[in-house]
Amino acid sequence: MITKTKLVKRIFSSLLTAALAVPMTALTAHATGEAFFYPPKNPVMTDQQFEVSVTFSADSEIGSVQANIAYDDSVIEFVSSDNASGGGGVLTVNGFPDTPSSEVDFSFTFKGLSAGNANISLQSCQIYSPDSELIGSPTAYCVITVGSDKVETKTETETTTTTEKTTTTTTKTAPSNGIPDKGVLTALTVDNGELSPAFAYNVYNYTVNVDNSVTNVEIEGTTASPSDYIWYTGTSECQVGENVRTITVTDVDGNAATYTVTIIRAAGGDEQQTRTVQKKNSSDTSSAVSKNANVMDQYKKMLNTALAIVLIVLVIALVVIIIWIRGKIKGGKKDK
Protein backbone atom coordinates (compact mmCIF):
# COMPACT_ATOMS: atom_id res chain seq x y z
CA MET A 1 0.00 0.00 0.00
CA ILE A 2 1.33 3.45 -0.96
CA THR A 3 1.63 5.75 2.05
CA LYS A 4 0.86 9.46 1.93
CA THR A 5 4.57 10.24 2.22
CA LYS A 6 5.48 8.12 -0.81
CA LEU A 7 2.54 9.53 -2.79
CA VAL A 8 3.60 13.13 -2.11
CA LYS A 9 7.20 12.30 -3.03
CA ARG A 10 6.07 10.76 -6.33
CA ILE A 11 3.87 13.76 -7.18
CA PHE A 12 6.67 16.20 -6.36
CA SER A 13 9.19 14.18 -8.38
CA SER A 14 6.89 14.06 -11.42
CA LEU A 15 6.18 17.78 -11.26
CA LEU A 16 9.86 18.63 -10.90
CA THR A 17 10.82 16.37 -13.83
CA ALA A 18 8.18 17.98 -16.05
CA ALA A 19 9.33 21.46 -15.05
CA LEU A 20 12.96 20.71 -15.86
CA ALA A 21 12.00 19.20 -19.19
CA VAL A 22 10.26 22.39 -20.35
CA PRO A 23 13.41 24.55 -20.67
CA MET A 24 15.21 21.80 -22.58
CA THR A 25 12.32 21.52 -25.04
CA ALA A 26 12.06 25.28 -25.44
CA LEU A 27 15.76 25.73 -26.05
CA THR A 28 15.83 23.16 -28.85
CA ALA A 29 12.77 24.48 -30.74
CA HIS A 30 14.46 27.32 -32.56
CA ALA A 31 14.49 26.15 -36.16
CA THR A 32 13.92 28.84 -38.78
CA GLY A 33 12.93 28.82 -42.43
CA GLU A 34 13.60 31.08 -45.45
CA ALA A 35 12.27 31.46 -48.99
CA PHE A 36 13.72 33.08 -52.14
CA PHE A 37 12.24 33.70 -55.61
CA TYR A 38 14.35 33.10 -58.73
CA PRO A 39 12.70 34.72 -61.80
CA PRO A 40 14.14 34.42 -65.34
CA LYS A 41 17.31 36.36 -66.09
CA ASN A 42 16.27 37.46 -69.59
CA PRO A 43 13.49 39.89 -70.54
CA VAL A 44 9.97 38.44 -70.88
CA MET A 45 7.75 39.31 -73.83
CA THR A 46 3.98 38.97 -74.35
CA ASP A 47 2.84 35.42 -75.24
CA GLN A 48 6.20 34.07 -74.03
CA GLN A 49 6.24 31.30 -71.42
CA PHE A 50 8.78 31.54 -68.60
CA GLU A 51 9.59 29.83 -65.32
CA VAL A 52 9.80 31.21 -61.80
CA SER A 53 11.25 28.99 -59.06
CA VAL A 54 11.08 29.29 -55.28
CA THR A 55 13.65 27.81 -52.93
CA PHE A 56 12.58 26.98 -49.36
CA SER A 57 15.41 26.35 -46.87
CA ALA A 58 15.69 25.67 -43.14
CA ASP A 59 18.32 24.85 -40.51
CA SER A 60 16.73 21.42 -40.06
CA GLU A 61 15.15 18.76 -42.28
CA ILE A 62 12.02 19.87 -44.16
CA GLY A 63 8.99 17.59 -44.17
CA SER A 64 6.50 19.65 -46.20
CA VAL A 65 5.70 23.17 -47.41
CA GLN A 66 2.28 24.80 -47.64
CA ALA A 67 1.82 28.32 -49.02
CA ASN A 68 -0.12 30.67 -51.27
CA ILE A 69 1.46 32.59 -54.15
CA ALA A 70 -0.26 35.78 -55.32
CA TYR A 71 0.45 37.26 -58.77
CA ASP A 72 -0.92 39.97 -61.08
CA ASP A 73 -3.10 38.02 -63.52
CA SER A 74 -3.63 41.10 -65.71
CA VAL A 75 0.05 41.00 -66.73
CA ILE A 76 0.99 37.30 -66.47
CA GLU A 77 -0.95 34.02 -66.65
CA PHE A 78 -0.30 30.81 -64.68
CA VAL A 79 0.32 27.81 -66.97
CA SER A 80 1.37 24.80 -64.88
CA SER A 81 3.32 23.43 -61.89
CA ASP A 82 3.86 20.01 -60.30
CA ASN A 83 3.43 21.48 -56.82
CA ALA A 84 0.73 24.12 -57.22
CA SER A 85 -2.80 24.59 -58.47
CA GLY A 86 -5.12 27.51 -58.94
CA GLY A 87 -5.30 30.60 -61.12
CA GLY A 88 -6.92 34.00 -61.29
CA GLY A 89 -4.11 35.57 -59.29
CA VAL A 90 -3.66 32.99 -56.49
CA LEU A 91 -1.87 29.62 -56.41
CA THR A 92 -2.00 27.01 -53.65
CA VAL A 93 1.35 25.32 -53.04
CA ASN A 94 1.65 21.96 -51.30
CA GLY A 95 4.82 19.88 -51.64
CA PHE A 96 7.72 18.12 -49.98
CA PRO A 97 11.34 17.15 -50.76
CA ASP A 98 11.88 14.01 -52.86
CA THR A 99 14.70 12.99 -50.50
CA PRO A 100 15.49 14.06 -46.91
CA SER A 101 16.84 17.59 -47.18
CA SER A 102 16.86 21.01 -45.52
CA GLU A 103 16.10 22.65 -48.89
CA VAL A 104 13.40 22.17 -51.54
CA ASP A 105 12.77 23.88 -54.90
CA PHE A 106 9.41 24.35 -56.66
CA SER A 107 8.99 25.64 -60.25
CA PHE A 108 6.04 27.48 -61.81
CA THR A 109 5.40 28.18 -65.49
CA PHE A 110 3.78 31.49 -66.44
CA LYS A 111 3.05 33.31 -69.71
CA GLY A 112 3.27 37.03 -70.45
CA LEU A 113 -0.12 38.59 -71.21
CA SER A 114 0.44 42.34 -71.53
CA ALA A 115 3.21 44.87 -71.06
CA GLY A 116 3.71 45.97 -67.47
CA ASN A 117 5.06 44.92 -64.06
CA ALA A 118 3.64 41.89 -62.25
CA ASN A 119 4.30 41.33 -58.54
CA ILE A 120 4.66 37.71 -57.41
CA SER A 121 4.56 37.28 -53.62
CA LEU A 122 4.67 34.40 -51.15
CA GLN A 123 1.84 34.49 -48.60
CA SER A 124 0.66 32.34 -45.67
CA CYS A 125 3.76 30.17 -46.01
CA GLN A 126 4.36 27.37 -43.48
CA ILE A 127 7.41 25.09 -43.50
CA TYR A 128 7.00 21.90 -41.45
CA SER A 129 9.44 19.29 -40.17
CA PRO A 130 8.95 15.55 -40.90
CA ASP A 131 7.22 15.40 -37.45
CA SER A 132 4.71 18.09 -38.58
CA GLU A 133 6.27 20.74 -36.32
CA LEU A 134 6.27 24.30 -37.66
CA ILE A 135 9.79 25.41 -38.68
CA GLY A 136 9.04 28.87 -40.01
CA SER A 137 6.69 31.18 -41.94
CA PRO A 138 8.89 33.18 -44.35
CA THR A 139 7.81 35.79 -46.91
CA ALA A 140 9.36 36.69 -50.29
CA TYR A 141 8.48 38.45 -53.52
CA CYS A 142 9.78 39.38 -56.96
CA VAL A 143 8.66 41.58 -59.85
CA ILE A 144 8.30 40.37 -63.44
CA THR A 145 8.48 43.00 -66.19
CA VAL A 146 6.70 42.03 -69.40
CA GLY A 147 7.73 44.08 -72.44
CA SER A 148 6.00 44.54 -75.76
CA ASP A 149 7.15 42.65 -78.84
CA LYS A 150 8.34 45.86 -80.50
CA VAL A 151 11.14 47.99 -79.11
CA GLU A 152 10.92 51.62 -80.09
CA THR A 153 14.11 53.53 -80.85
CA LYS A 154 14.45 57.23 -81.46
CA THR A 155 16.17 58.13 -84.72
CA GLU A 156 16.87 61.23 -86.69
CA THR A 157 17.33 61.28 -90.46
CA GLU A 158 19.82 63.48 -92.17
CA THR A 159 19.45 63.80 -95.97
CA THR A 160 22.15 65.20 -98.25
CA THR A 161 21.17 65.97 -101.83
CA THR A 162 23.61 66.58 -104.72
CA THR A 163 23.11 66.92 -108.46
CA GLU A 164 24.30 63.35 -108.97
CA LYS A 165 22.72 61.29 -106.13
CA THR A 166 20.79 61.39 -102.87
CA THR A 167 22.29 59.81 -99.70
CA THR A 168 20.17 59.04 -96.59
CA THR A 169 21.93 58.47 -93.23
CA THR A 170 20.12 57.15 -90.10
CA THR A 171 21.75 57.49 -86.67
CA LYS A 172 20.59 56.75 -83.09
CA THR A 173 19.76 59.80 -81.02
CA ALA A 174 21.70 60.18 -77.76
CA PRO A 175 19.59 61.02 -74.68
CA SER A 176 19.53 64.75 -74.03
CA ASN A 177 20.02 64.30 -70.26
CA GLY A 178 22.98 61.94 -70.55
CA ILE A 179 21.09 58.94 -69.11
CA PRO A 180 21.21 55.74 -71.22
CA ASP A 181 17.91 54.86 -72.90
CA LYS A 182 17.92 51.26 -71.62
CA GLY A 183 19.49 48.90 -69.07
CA VAL A 184 19.53 51.30 -66.06
CA LEU A 185 17.21 52.75 -63.45
CA THR A 186 16.01 56.31 -63.90
CA ALA A 187 14.43 56.46 -60.43
CA LEU A 188 14.66 54.52 -57.16
CA THR A 189 12.36 55.21 -54.21
CA VAL A 190 11.74 53.83 -50.69
CA ASP A 191 8.56 54.35 -48.66
CA ASN A 192 10.47 54.77 -45.37
CA GLY A 193 13.73 56.65 -44.80
CA GLU A 194 15.90 58.29 -47.46
CA LEU A 195 18.51 56.98 -49.88
CA SER A 196 22.10 57.91 -49.11
CA PRO A 197 23.65 59.12 -51.35
CA ALA A 198 20.90 60.67 -53.48
CA PHE A 199 19.89 58.50 -56.43
CA ALA A 200 21.82 58.65 -59.69
CA TYR A 201 21.57 56.11 -62.50
CA ASN A 202 25.33 55.37 -62.34
CA VAL A 203 25.53 54.99 -58.52
CA TYR A 204 24.90 51.36 -57.54
CA ASN A 205 25.17 51.23 -53.71
CA TYR A 206 22.84 52.99 -51.26
CA THR A 207 22.08 53.02 -47.54
CA VAL A 208 18.75 53.74 -45.82
CA ASN A 209 18.57 54.33 -42.04
CA VAL A 210 15.21 53.73 -40.33
CA ASP A 211 13.97 53.76 -36.73
CA ASN A 212 13.31 50.57 -34.78
CA SER A 213 9.56 51.16 -35.17
CA VAL A 214 9.86 50.61 -38.95
CA THR A 215 9.37 46.91 -39.72
CA ASN A 216 8.65 47.10 -43.46
CA VAL A 217 10.32 49.02 -46.30
CA GLU A 218 9.07 48.85 -49.89
CA ILE A 219 11.47 49.62 -52.77
CA GLU A 220 10.36 50.68 -56.26
CA GLY A 221 12.60 51.11 -59.30
CA THR A 222 11.80 52.74 -62.66
CA THR A 223 13.62 51.46 -65.76
CA ALA A 224 14.89 53.59 -68.61
CA SER A 225 13.01 51.55 -71.23
CA PRO A 226 9.67 49.68 -71.15
CA SER A 227 11.51 46.69 -72.62
CA ASP A 228 13.95 46.50 -69.68
CA TYR A 229 13.48 43.57 -67.34
CA ILE A 230 13.67 44.27 -63.57
CA TRP A 231 13.71 41.91 -60.61
CA TYR A 232 14.29 42.22 -56.88
CA THR A 233 15.89 40.07 -54.19
CA GLY A 234 15.26 40.21 -50.46
CA THR A 235 12.09 40.79 -48.48
CA SER A 236 10.29 43.99 -47.56
CA GLU A 237 10.29 42.96 -43.89
CA CYS A 238 13.18 44.48 -41.90
CA GLN A 239 15.03 42.86 -39.01
CA VAL A 240 17.13 44.86 -36.53
CA GLY A 241 20.47 45.64 -38.17
CA GLU A 242 21.32 45.34 -41.87
CA ASN A 243 18.82 44.19 -44.50
CA VAL A 244 20.29 43.89 -48.01
CA ARG A 245 18.06 44.33 -51.09
CA THR A 246 19.12 44.25 -54.75
CA ILE A 247 17.45 45.52 -57.92
CA THR A 248 18.76 44.10 -61.21
CA VAL A 249 17.92 45.71 -64.57
CA THR A 250 18.52 43.78 -67.82
CA ASP A 251 18.07 45.25 -71.29
CA VAL A 252 17.01 43.39 -74.46
CA ASP A 253 20.67 42.72 -75.31
CA GLY A 254 21.26 40.93 -71.99
CA ASN A 255 23.33 43.70 -70.39
CA ALA A 256 22.61 43.93 -66.66
CA ALA A 257 23.07 46.55 -63.94
CA THR A 258 22.57 45.72 -60.24
CA TYR A 259 21.71 48.30 -57.58
CA THR A 260 22.17 47.42 -53.89
CA VAL A 261 20.21 49.04 -51.06
CA THR A 262 21.21 48.29 -47.45
CA ILE A 263 18.41 49.13 -45.03
CA ILE A 264 19.65 49.61 -41.45
CA ARG A 265 16.97 49.27 -38.78
CA ALA A 266 17.95 50.75 -35.41
CA ALA A 267 18.01 48.62 -32.25
CA GLY A 268 15.11 48.78 -29.76
CA GLY A 269 14.92 52.00 -27.71
CA ASP A 270 16.73 54.07 -30.35
CA GLU A 271 13.69 55.30 -32.28
CA GLN A 272 14.97 58.89 -32.25
CA GLN A 273 18.46 57.97 -33.36
CA THR A 274 19.57 55.68 -36.20
CA ARG A 275 22.90 53.97 -35.82
CA THR A 276 25.37 53.52 -38.65
CA VAL A 277 26.47 49.93 -39.25
CA GLN A 278 29.62 49.29 -41.25
CA LYS A 279 29.22 47.41 -44.52
CA LYS A 280 30.20 43.74 -44.29
CA ASN A 281 32.47 42.10 -46.85
CA SER A 282 29.57 40.16 -48.35
CA SER A 283 25.79 39.83 -48.17
CA ASP A 284 26.23 36.32 -46.72
CA THR A 285 27.88 37.78 -43.60
CA SER A 286 25.05 40.30 -43.22
CA SER A 287 22.43 37.54 -43.46
CA ALA A 288 24.27 35.49 -40.81
CA VAL A 289 24.31 38.43 -38.37
CA SER A 290 20.56 39.00 -38.84
CA LYS A 291 19.80 35.30 -38.38
CA ASN A 292 21.86 35.12 -35.14
CA ALA A 293 19.94 38.10 -33.74
CA ASN A 294 16.65 36.35 -34.47
CA VAL A 295 17.81 33.15 -32.78
CA MET A 296 18.91 35.06 -29.65
CA ASP A 297 15.50 36.74 -29.44
CA GLN A 298 13.82 33.35 -29.69
CA TYR A 299 16.06 31.95 -26.93
CA LYS A 300 15.15 34.81 -24.59
CA LYS A 301 11.39 34.44 -25.19
CA MET A 302 11.49 30.65 -24.76
CA LEU A 303 13.66 30.85 -21.64
CA ASN A 304 11.33 33.40 -20.00
CA THR A 305 8.34 31.14 -20.71
CA ALA A 306 10.17 28.09 -19.39
CA LEU A 307 11.21 29.85 -16.16
CA ALA A 308 7.62 30.98 -15.57
CA ILE A 309 6.38 27.38 -15.95
CA VAL A 310 9.06 26.10 -13.55
CA LEU A 311 8.02 28.70 -10.97
CA ILE A 312 4.34 27.71 -11.24
CA VAL A 313 5.16 24.01 -10.88
CA LEU A 314 7.31 24.63 -7.80
CA VAL A 315 4.53 26.71 -6.19
CA ILE A 316 2.03 23.88 -6.80
CA ALA A 317 4.46 21.36 -5.30
CA LEU A 318 4.95 23.57 -2.24
CA VAL A 319 1.18 23.84 -1.73
CA VAL A 320 0.83 20.03 -1.95
CA ILE A 321 3.57 19.55 0.67
CA ILE A 322 1.98 22.09 3.04
CA ILE A 323 -1.41 20.35 2.75
CA TRP A 324 0.22 17.00 3.45
CA ILE A 325 2.08 18.33 6.51
CA ARG A 326 -1.13 19.85 7.93
CA GLY A 327 -2.92 16.55 7.40
CA LYS A 328 -0.09 14.72 9.14
CA ILE A 329 -0.30 17.08 12.11
CA LYS A 330 -4.08 16.63 12.44
CA GLY A 331 -3.69 12.85 12.17
CA GLY A 332 -1.13 12.92 14.98
CA LYS A 333 -3.46 14.88 17.22
CA LYS A 334 -6.28 12.38 16.65
CA ASP A 335 -3.98 9.48 17.57
CA LYS A 336 -3.25 11.15 20.87
Side-chain angles (χ1 to χ4, degrees), residues 154-156 171-175 181:
K154 296 180 180 179
T155 61
E156 64 178 9
T171 59
K172 188 174 182 180
T173 304
D181 59 359

Side-chain angles (χ1 to χ4, degrees), residues 37 39-40 50-52 54 69-72 76 91 108 110 117-123 140-144:
F37 274 104
F50 61 94
E51 285 194 357
V52 174
V54 185
I69 291 181
Y71 63 95
D72 188 347
I76 59 177
L91 302 180
F108 311 91
F110 292 90
N117 293 330
N119 290 318
I120 303 180
S121 61
L122 186 67
Q123 300 177 352
Y141 80 102
C142 68
V143 177
I144 301 294

Side-chain angles (χ1 to χ4, degrees), residues 259-281:
Y259 299 80
T260 301
V261 179
T262 302
I263 302 168
I264 303 173
R265 179 185 171 193
D270 295 335
E271 286 81 0
Q272 302 303 320
Q273 296 180 352
T274 55
R275 61 185 181 88
T276 302
V277 180
Q278 293 182 345
K279 297 284 287 182
K280 302 295 185 295
N281 292 330

Side-chain angles (χ1 to χ4, degrees), residues 166-225:
T166 300
T167 302
T168 301
T169 303
T170 302
T171 59
K172 188 174 182 180
T173 304
S176 59
N177 56 5
I179 300 177
D181 59 359
K182 63 180 180 179
V184 297
L185 291 181
T186 56
L188 181 61
T189 59
V190 292
D191 64 351
N192 281 295
E194 295 183 357
L195 291 174
S196 178
F199 174 76
Y201 80 92
N202 55 353
V203 175
Y204 300 101
N205 293 285
Y206 299 90
T207 300
V208 177
N209 290 297
V210 297
D211 292 334
N212 177 259
S213 59
V214 177
T215 60
N216 189 288
V217 176
E218 296 287 351
I219 295 177
E220 183 70 27
T222 303
T223 59
S225 170

Side-chain angles (χ1 to χ4, degrees), residues 299-320:
Y299 272 123
K300 290 179 181 178
K301 292 179 180 178
M302 293 175 182
L303 186 57
N304 289 338
T305 302
L307 291 176
I309 294 174
V310 170
L311 181 61
I312 293 172
V313 171
L314 292 177
V315 169
I316 293 173
L318 181 59
V319 171
V320 171

Side-chain angles (χ1 to χ4, degrees), residues 30-280:
H30 62 272
T32 58
E34 295 180 329
F36 296 94
F37 274 104
Y38 292 95
K41 295 183 178 180
N42 296 320
V44 176
M45 300 300 174
T46 54
D47 294 327
Q48 175 188 349
Q49 291 192 2
F50 61 94
E51 285 194 357
V52 174
S53 63
V54 185
T55 297
F56 298 92
S57 61
D59 53 7
S60 61
E61 184 179 337
I62 295 176
S64 64
V65 175
Q66 298 176 5
N68 291 329
I69 291 181
Y71 63 95
D72 188 347
D73 61 348
S74 66
V75 179
I76 59 177
E77 178 184 15
F78 173 67
V79 177
S80 64
S81 175
D82 293 336
N83 304 101
S85 61
V90 178
L91 302 180
T92 300
V93 180
N94 194 345
F96 50 86
D98 295 331
T99 58
S101 175
S102 61
E103 185 174 288
V104 59
D105 298 317
F106 297 150
S107 295
F108 311 91
T109 301
F110 292 90
K111 183 177 74 172
L113 289 181
S114 60
N117 293 330
N119 290 318
I120 303 180
S121 61
L122 186 67
Q123 300 177 352
S124 303
C125 177
Q126 295 177 325
I127 302 177
Y128 292 99
S129 69
D131 298 328
S132 299
E133 294 182 359
L134 182 62
I135 294 177
S137 301
T139 60
Y141 80 102
C142 68
V143 177
I144 301 294
T145 299
V146 179
S148 60
D149 294 331
K150 297 180 180 180
V151 179
E152 298 181 357
T153 57
K154 296 180 180 179
T155 61
E156 64 178 9
T157 303
E158 182 181 294
T159 303
T160 303
T161 303
T162 66
T163 57
E164 296 181 357
K165 63 179 180 178
T166 300
T167 302
T168 301
T169 303
T170 302
T171 59
K172 188 174 182 180
T173 304
S176 59
N177 56 5
I179 300 177
D181 59 359
K182 63 180 180 179
V184 297
L185 291 181
T186 56
L188 181 61
T189 59
V190 292
D191 64 351
N192 281 295
E194 295 183 357
L195 291 174
S196 178
F199 174 76
Y201 80 92
N202 55 353
V203 175
Y204 300 101
N205 293 285
Y206 299 90
T207 300
V208 177
N209 290 297
V210 297
D211 292 334
N212 177 259
S213 59
V214 177
T215 60
N216 189 288
V217 176
E218 296 287 351
I219 295 177
E220 183 70 27
T222 303
T223 59
S225 170
S227 64
D228 287 340
Y229 167 76
I230 183 172
W231 66 287
Y232 303 75
T233 65
T235 174
S236 59
E237 294 184 358
C238 293
Q239 305 294 332
V240 173
E242 289 191 356
N243 301 266
V244 179
R245 307 275 295 280
T246 65
I247 306 95
T248 301
V249 184
T250 306
D251 63 22
V252 293
D253 298 322
N255 301 312
T258 299
Y259 299 80
T260 301
V261 179
T262 302
I263 302 168
I264 303 173
R265 179 185 171 193
D270 295 335
E271 286 81 0
Q272 302 303 320
Q273 296 180 352
T274 55
R275 61 185 181 88
T276 302
V277 180
Q278 293 182 345
K279 297 284 287 182
K280 302 295 185 295

Side-chain angles (χ1 to χ4, degrees), residues 289-335:
V289 172
S290 179
K291 182 180 289 185
N292 289 338
N294 291 337
V295 172
M296 289 301 297
D297 289 340
Q298 291 177 354
Y299 272 123
K300 290 179 181 178
K301 292 179 180 178
M302 293 175 182
L303 186 57
N304 289 338
T305 302
L307 291 176
I309 294 174
V310 170
L311 181 61
I312 293 172
V313 171
L314 292 177
V315 169
I316 293 173
L318 181 59
V319 171
V320 171
I321 292 173
I322 292 173
I323 293 174
W324 174 78
I325 292 175
R326 292 180 63 181
K328 194 73 174 178
I329 294 172
K330 289 182 180 179
K333 290 181 178 180
K334 289 181 180 181
D335 292 340

